[in-house]
Amino acid sequence: MPSLREITAQHGSCLLLDAASERIQVGLCAVDSGRWTESSAEAGEGLFRCLDALGVDPATVPAFAFCEGPGSILGIRTAAMAIRTWSALTPRPCYHYQSLAVVATALADPMIAVVADARRESWHVYRAGAPLRRVPAAELTGPCVMPEGFRRWSNPPAGLASHPYRLQGLFARPEVAGADLFTATNTPDAFLHEEPAYATWTPQVHRAPATP
């Protein structure tokens, strides 16, 4: 698992897309530097507004990175689909990272849970040094923080705090830029704890009830 610093050192630069929160963030990251912009528009429009603001042509960047979640599934899949399209035209390396892991790395406190709403009265939970888990709301205890701009549908746990989710500032921190947060992927998509299961059914021709 490489760090952002290692990715930019290997490829020269990297176009990073994050649509996990209400704020679309895009950065053109290079070794020890970067240009960032953001948009409050929905992902399908906001990503391209950000590219225009940066003056970046996706066809010219040597590598991509994106947030696979947790966060807005629609936004994340929009970013992933854009990368798939660009890479189909010109194949390039792609890496994904998890939103909660970035915040947990900045906090550097394994006692603090970084959380995001997973719906159906459950929460995504990440603690530094541990894998991402999904936890029922009733079992969520201890100090918790949620990244700014992440939507929630369930009642928040007691004492839930907010933590800034501005990637320009987070990745400017040496401990975050140098952390092994990224994973290479050939199939960009949103993170799922498990693959969806689908029920099967046998189609039947509808018939009128039999008369006695």
Side-chain angles (χ1 to χ4, degrees), residues 103 107 114-115 144-150 159-165:
V103 176
L107 290 170
V114 185
V115 303
C144 301
V145 302
M146 186 169 74
E148 258 180 10
F150 277 51
L160 178 66
S162 178
H163 190 281
Y165 192 67

Side-chain angles (χ1 to χ4, degrees), residues 37-142:
T37 189
E38 59 186 52
S39 172
S40 58
E42 58 86 22
E45 181 179 350
L47 287 171
F48 294 96
R49 284 188 182 181
C50 289
L51 292 173
D52 288 344
L54 290 173
V56 173
D57 180 356
T60 65
V61 298
F64 299 107
F66 78 104
C67 178
E68 68 164 357
S72 167
I73 294 296
L74 178 59
I76 291 164
R77 285 186 168 153
T78 299
M81 184 56 64
I83 292 173
R84 285 191 184 205
T85 301
W86 298 328
S87 296
L89 298 171
T90 307
R92 279 156 290 177
C94 179
Y95 304 85
H96 62 72
Y97 65 93
Q98 293 183 344
S99 54
L100 306 189
V102 173
V103 176
T105 301
L107 290 170
D109 187 342
M111 300 304 294
I112 299 177
V114 185
V115 303
D117 196 324
R119 300 197 182 192
R120 297 183 181 179
E121 294 302 319
S122 65
W123 291 77
H124 301 289
V125 178
Y126 188 96
R127 286 185 171 88
L132 181 68
R133 299 187 300 138
R134 185 170 54 200
V135 175
E139 299 177 15
L140 191 57
T141 59

Side-chain angles (χ1 to χ4, degrees), residues 135-184:
V135 175
E139 299 177 15
L140 191 57
T141 59
C144 301
V145 302
M146 186 169 74
E148 258 180 10
F150 277 51
R151 297 179 177 87
R152 64 175 176 82
W153 298 265
S154 308
N155 292 325
L160 178 66
S162 178
H163 190 281
Y165 192 67
R166 291 292 179 93
L167 296 175
Q168 181 174 9
L170 288 168
F171 280 118
R173 300 174 63 161
E175 67 272 25
V176 179
D180 298 336
L181 297 173
F182 292 78
T183 302

